[in-house]
Amino acid sequence: MAKHTVLIVEDERDIQELVQYNLQKEGYRVVTASTGEDGLKLAREKSPNLLILDLMLPGIDGREVCRKLKQDPETSKIGIIMLTAKGEESDIVVGLEIGADDYLTKPFSPKVLLARIRALLRRLEDKAEMPVQQVAEVVEIHDIVIHPGRREVLVQGLPVELTATEFGLLQYLARRPGWVFTRQQILNAVRGDEVIVTDRAVDVQVVGLRKKLGEAGDYIETVRGVGYRFRE
Ligand code: CA
């Protein structure tokens, strides 16, 4: 396996060292920065595969760093995992909307962080390899099978009738189990027959979808103050 480079941007020394130690132990190449400015500079110079980005930084904060990197085609493909303070749901929402790929709230366990890093690297590699064909690929998760080509959903082998919007919503979430999406991201991604234009409309669609899926509807989990995710 090629060695991946991870850039840690975190001003709290203890956390920076803890993350660095755990990543190096797993064989990652690690670069560290303590300010947003240095983080941006190193992201451009060292082309890391992934950034562990604290939101609260002196000077340019994590949001701004994330925005700048995701806007620049040179750095937009770098995966970003944000670190946020517990309870700062609005930070999470904004972070995901400006392009962060995942987030962790402090305090977090190194084991969870490593699992998230592995998952994100895998996802980034999949994306780089085959972006278009994958969309037509059948999704099988838990007891649900989604056939995009046939626009068909089977739950425990039985077909479930969904509207185009519900189908899109289910497919969008189920393709990335465990990933949290904000209502705005869902709005942008899902375009069906019905026009859904507000956050509230997303909630309504989710309620309808859950009902049609029966027990399998529980796989669509509400992440309080943030959005929705499909259970892993
Ligand atoms: Ca900080």
Side-chain angles (χ1 to χ4, degrees):
M1 189 185 78
K3 239 184 176 185
H4 290 106
T5 302
V6 178
L7 169 59
I8 306 166
V9 188
E10 166 63 274
D11 60 315
E12 279 163 77
R13 202 58 186 271
D14 294 352
I15 298 179
Q16 193 193 93
E17 283 173 1
L18 176 76
V19 174
Q20 180 172 19
Y21 170 78
N22 280 283
L23 289 181
Q24 283 173 340
K25 216 171 64 179
E26 288 292 305
Y28 292 101
R29 199 179 295 124
V30 176
V31 184
T32 60
S34 304
T35 64
E37 283 83 351
D38 283 350
L40 272 177
K41 200 170 136 245
L42 288 171
R44 286 168 182 149
E45 282 174 13
K46 309 275 178 188
S47 318
N49 302 87
L50 202 142
L51 230 80
I52 309 292
L53 177 62
D54 187 33
L55 273 189
M56 298 281 281
L57 293 168
I60 305 180
D61 71 3
R63 270 187 226 190
E64 208 40 46
V65 173
C66 180
R67 202 191 315 267
K68 287 205 159 90
L69 292 178
K70 289 294 180 182
Q71 275 171 358
D72 182 349
E74 293 283 309
T75 53
S76 65
K77 289 191 180 63
I78 301 173
I80 297 183
I81 299 178
M82 301 184 302
L83 301 179
T84 68
K86 210 183 160 109
E88 294 300 321
E89 287 163 345
S90 55
D91 282 349
I92 297 170
V93 171
V94 171
L96 292 173
E97 276 163 11
I98 56 180
D101 299 279
D102 198 4
Y103 68 88
L104 273 181
T105 47
K106 295 178 182 177
F108 54 85
S109 88
K111 232 171 107 180
V112 171
L113 175 66
L114 288 169
R116 296 292 188 86
I117 289 173
R118 278 193 295 269
L120 179 52
L121 287 172
R122 219 181 304 129
R123 190 175 139 207
L124 292 170
E125 273 156 20
D126 285 351
K127 215 156 111 188
E129 272 168 24
M130 42 182 327
V132 185
Q133 283 94 330
Q134 266 203 342
V135 175
E137 226 167 73
V138 173
V139 182
E140 287 190 58
I141 184 159
H142 309 305
D143 47 6
I144 299 185
V145 182
I146 306 168
H147 289 277
R150 285 188 247 155
R151 275 265 307 270
E152 185 182 64
V153 175
L154 302 173
V155 178
Q156 294 182 352
L158 298 172
V160 177
E161 287 294 322
L162 299 180
T163 65
T165 306
E166 289 163 350
F167 186 87
L169 174 62
L170 175 64
Q171 186 179 199
Y172 184 63
L173 295 174
R175 276 190 186 283
R176 302 158 191 88
W179 296 90
V180 180
F181 297 98
T182 68
R183 290 175 176 78
Q184 191 58 49
Q185 286 177 310
I186 293 170
L187 274 179
N188 294 341
V190 177
R191 302 199 190 281
D193 291 338
E194 298 97 314
V195 181
I196 54 173
V197 283
T198 62
D199 285 7
R200 174 80 191 119
V202 174
D203 296 337
V204 171
Q205 291 291 334
V206 169
V207 169
L209 176 59
R210 276 184 183 143
K211 208 180 272 172
K212 288 185 181 173
L213 293 175
E215 276 174 30
D218 292 348
Y219 299 140
I220 300 168
E221 299 175 328
T222 304
V223 182
R224 263 187 92 122
V226 182
Y228 294 99
R229 102 182 127 212
F230 199 88
R231 191 187 300 159
E232 238 166 333

